[in-house]
């Protein structure tokens, strides 16, 4: 679908075709997709929402497309700091080798792991890409199909415990459905 969107392709088509991005096809990512498919899903979904909101579509599409521009398997390669902190910085460095980035695009790339990292997004477009990224990370689909379900989550802030009766409407779970679709 994204290939038929002339406005989207005018913003990022040349980047999608770049050999450094095409190399991402070879790298498995989030269960049922490769890293390029994942990056395009995040980019195009973010672009469409940004367009509907009247926001900066170019920065949104570009930053989202380049957010995972790294070439190692994070399940095998380990750093002194977490992958969630390291890989966005590597992605920014790699992106700058193939194109210039504005401050918003750089923030989108650096902050897409917010929730697992501390620094919050600076721009509304960065926050949007962060949320769309999380959606696609758990949806995990590709041309061959999609996962039937996946679970993921993140905690922001200091953990705390509510008294059980305060955790549910009217202090009771009776008659309430609790679950995930």
């Amino acid at each position: 679908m994204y290939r038929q969107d002339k406005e989207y392709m005018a913003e990022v088509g040349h980047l999608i075709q770049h050999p450094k991005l095409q190399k991402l096809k070879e790298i498995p990512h989030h269960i049922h997709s490769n890293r390029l498919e994942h990056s395009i899903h995040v980019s195009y979904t973010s672009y469409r929402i940004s367009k509907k909101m009247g926001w900066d579509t170019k920065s949104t599409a570009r930053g989202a497309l380049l957010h995972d521009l790294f070439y190692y398997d994070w399940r095998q390669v380990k750093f002194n700091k977490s992958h969630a902190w390291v890989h966005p910085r590597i992605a920014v460095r790699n992106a700058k080798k193939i194109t210039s980035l504005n401050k918003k695009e750089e923030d989108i790339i650096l902050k897409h792991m917010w929730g697992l990292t501390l620094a919050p997004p600076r721009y509304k477009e960065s926050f949007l890409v962060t949320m769309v990224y999380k959606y696609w990370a758990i949806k995990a689909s590709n041309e061959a199909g999609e996962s039937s379900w996946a679970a993921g989550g993140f905690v922001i802030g200091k953990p705390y415990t509510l008294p059980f009766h305060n955790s549910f409407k009217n202090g009771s779970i009776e008659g309430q459905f609790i679950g995930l679709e």
Side-chain angles (χ1 to χ4, degrees):
M1 179 176 3
Y2 75 91
R3 288 183 182 105
Q4 285 73 44
D5 189 325
K6 291 178 183 173
E7 291 176 24
Y8 175 74
M9 291 304 288
E11 303 294 1
V12 298
H14 66 289
L15 292 172
I16 291 171
Q17 295 308 314
H18 194 284
K20 296 282 188 185
L21 266 83
Q22 287 296 307
K23 187 175 177 183
L24 298 177
K25 280 183 183 176
E26 303 165 12
I27 305 168
H29 203 66
H30 294 304
I31 305 170
H32 293 288
S33 64
N34 64 54
R35 195 163 295 152
L36 180 61
E37 289 172 332
H38 163 77
S39 296
I40 292 170
H41 285 308
V42 173
S43 177
Y44 190 57
T45 304
S46 298
Y47 165 84
R48 297 213 29 214
I49 295 169
S50 182
K51 184 175 179 179
K52 194 165 198 81
M53 300 299 290
W55 296 349
D56 181 352
T57 56
K58 182 176 182 176
S59 294
T60 302
R62 287 169 47 90
L65 182 65
L66 300 168
H67 80 276
D68 274 343
L69 189 57
F70 66 96
Y71 305 102
Y72 63 89
D73 183 343
W74 62 271
R75 294 168 202 88
Q76 296 175 358
V77 176
K78 302 299 176 195
F79 296 97
N80 289 333
K81 295 191 179 225
S82 76
H83 167 71
W85 189 87
V86 171
H87 89 269
R89 283 149 184 80
I90 293 171
V92 163
R93 188 181 67 218
N94 289 338
K96 286 180 175 180
K97 290 177 184 176
I98 62 172
T99 189
S100 59
L101 298 175
N102 63 36
K103 290 188 181 297
K104 195 176 291 182
E105 293 163 348
E106 191 167 330
D107 192 67
I108 287 168
I109 297 167
L110 287 173
K111 307 291 178 55
H112 80 274
M113 294 299 290
W114 178 62
L116 294 175
T117 58
L118 297 176
R122 180 170 291 189
Y123 305 96
K124 59 191 174 219
E125 293 87 353
S126 305
F127 183 79
L128 169 65
V129 172
T130 298
M131 295 300 113
V132 170
Y133 163 79
K134 287 165 183 15
Y135 167 79
W136 280 108
I138 62 173
K139 183 171 173 48
S141 73
N142 67 15
E143 293 173 5
E146 64 184 53
S147 60
S148 57
W149 66 275
F154 56 95
V155 176
I156 300 169
K158 200 184 244 185
Y160 62 94
T161 304
L162 288 174
F164 182 79
H165 69 280
N166 287 341
S167 301
F168 302 96
K169 184 178 178 183
N170 300 325
S172 171
I173 62 171
E174 188 172 325
Q176 295 184 41
F177 173 78
I178 300 171
L180 300 172
E181 187 174 323

